[in-house]
Amino acid sequence: MKFAFSTLGVPGMPVAQVAALAADTGYQGVELRAHPEEPVHQGIGARERAEVVREFEQAGVEVLTVAGYARVAAAGDDGPVHEELDELLRLARDVGASYVRVFPGGGDQDAGDADALAARRLGAAAETAAESGVRILLETHDSHRTGADVSRILGTVGHRNAGALWDVLHPWLGGEEPEQTRAALGPYLGYVQVKDVVSGENLAPVPLGEGALPLGRCLGLLDEDGWVCWEYEKRWYPQAAELPGLLTAGREHLLGLVPGA
């Protein structure tokens, strides 16, 4: 099993430092938060994109994902969503990422309407993704927090380049057992995002293994050659402990949960 961490845990850290941090703490990959607050986002030019590639290649670390904020089930015209997806796919291609992360964002729409919007947009974007050698992953999040929710959309899309990202927090908050989530996402699963929180009422990040999430059950359901990414939400909880000092212990904790490791 291969491990990555998200730059949501190290807000604003320069690319070279991120790559070196991953290498120094034994992580094989990094999920890059694509936002104007960060060094890597859709607005950077060719020189900056090439520099991202160089830094990660020199460190021997993979750019796993461009973690975008497109909301594929959001009400409104398709045009802006398609444009955002295209920009994210170009960025992922240029920096050598395997995946683009997107959110549902269906809001309070009727579930059927939100599903149809998301499926239509993902179906179109999946063709572009295939041409770029990138896979779009719809995260279990917000309006579609469970595996069952996300699988309704992806089953309609029916394209290999549109898959699922299992954020272990949201199905748990939605009352879905890990075994149910894994079964629902089975044909579509790209990789898993892990984190830990004390309870459903207190979502501030804590070191892996110190919270209530069933991480062992989740990892026990995964393929042995898959990716697991630690998304530590430091950006949203500035009072949380600094991630760099937690990374080595976190990776060791995850490794201890992998069957046969």
Side-chain angles (χ1 to χ4, degrees), residues 18 21 30 54 62 77-78 105 108 119 141 210 226 232 239:
V18 170
L21 179 62
V30 171
R54 282 194 295 270
E62 184 171 334
D77 294 338
D78 287 354
D108 58 1
H141 198 272
E210 295 187 11
Y232 185 80
Q239 74 279 12

Side-chain angles (χ1 to χ4, degrees), residues 26-198:
Y27 285 78
Q28 295 99 327
V30 171
E31 183 184 279
L32 293 174
R33 178 181 180 237
H35 190 279
E37 296 177 346
E38 302 294 341
V40 180
H41 56 84
Q42 297 95 300
I44 65 173
R47 184 175 62 183
E48 292 91 346
R49 295 176 187 218
E51 184 62 25
V52 172
V53 174
R54 282 194 295 270
E55 293 291 353
F56 278 92
E57 285 182 346
Q58 288 174 8
V61 174
E62 184 171 334
V63 178
L64 179 64
T65 304
V66 166
Y69 287 87
R71 287 165 168 77
V72 296
D77 294 338
D78 287 354
V81 180
H82 286 314
E83 182 178 351
E84 187 172 5
L85 289 170
D86 285 347
E87 290 174 352
L88 287 167
L89 287 167
R90 283 195 293 271
L91 177 61
R93 179 200 63 199
D94 291 348
V95 301
S98 298
Y99 303 107
V100 163
R101 185 280 308 276
V102 300
F103 286 142
D108 58 1
Q109 294 179 84
D110 172 80
D113 292 341
D115 290 356
L117 277 173
R120 183 172 71 238
R121 292 163 176 169
L122 284 173
E127 294 293 337
T128 304
E131 295 169 2
S132 301
V134 178
R135 196 171 182 212
I136 305 172
L137 300 184
L138 179 61
E139 185 172 323
T140 52
H141 198 272
D142 59 83
S143 61
H144 292 68
R145 68 184 349 175
T146 67
D149 292 331
V150 167
S151 68
R152 290 198 312 268
I153 295 172
L154 296 176
T156 301
V157 176
H159 195 296
R160 192 198 174 283
N161 287 77
L165 175 53
W166 177 8
D167 179 328
V168 300
L169 174 65
H170 294 280
W172 179 75
L173 291 173
E176 190 176 64
E177 299 293 336
E179 294 78 9
Q180 295 173 309
T181 308
R182 181 67 178 92
L185 298 182
Y188 317 112
L189 185 62
Y191 67 95
V192 174
Q193 270 184 355
V194 295
K195 58 189 68 173
D196 221 345
V197 298
V198 173

